[in-house]
Amino acid sequence: MEKYEVGRMLGQGNFAKVYHARNLKTGQNVAIKVCNKEMIMRVGMKEQMKREISVMHLVRHPNI
């Protein structure tokens, strides 16, 4: 995460935490989702996470 300055935690769920961050090159504010890989693998959510990542690549919106 050398490209970002990670700040405060914005929220958390059972499998991930979301942090406010700033792109060091552009200064753009972003949210970074950090997933607990061990937990995801243990409860069998690997395919669900893959789908979520695929959808995020397709969505074009200024807030995403």
Side-chain angles (χ1 to χ4, degrees):
M1 288 212 244
E2 297 169 2
K3 292 172 46 174
Y4 298 94
E5 179 181 69
V6 179
R8 68 183 179 95
M9 184 171 48
L10 299 173
Q12 69 182 48
N14 291 327
F15 304 104
K17 294 179 181 179
V18 178
Y19 294 91
H20 172 267
R22 187 174 59 86
N23 184 311
L24 295 175
K25 187 174 182 179
T26 67
Q28 181 182 23
N29 290 311
V30 297
I32 295 179
K33 184 175 186 176
V34 180
C35 300
N36 182 332
K37 185 177 178 179
E38 290 179 15
M39 179 86 75
I40 290 168
M41 298 302 279
R42 194 171 343 129
V43 297
M45 292 184 61
K46 182 178 174 183
E47 294 305 315
Q48 181 177 336
M49 289 304 297
K50 284 183 178 182
R51 277 193 305 275
E52 182 176 335
I53 292 166
S54 295
V55 169
M56 294 297 273
H57 279 108
L58 297 173
V59 176
R60 296 288 175 242
H61 188 279
N63 294 330
I64 297 177

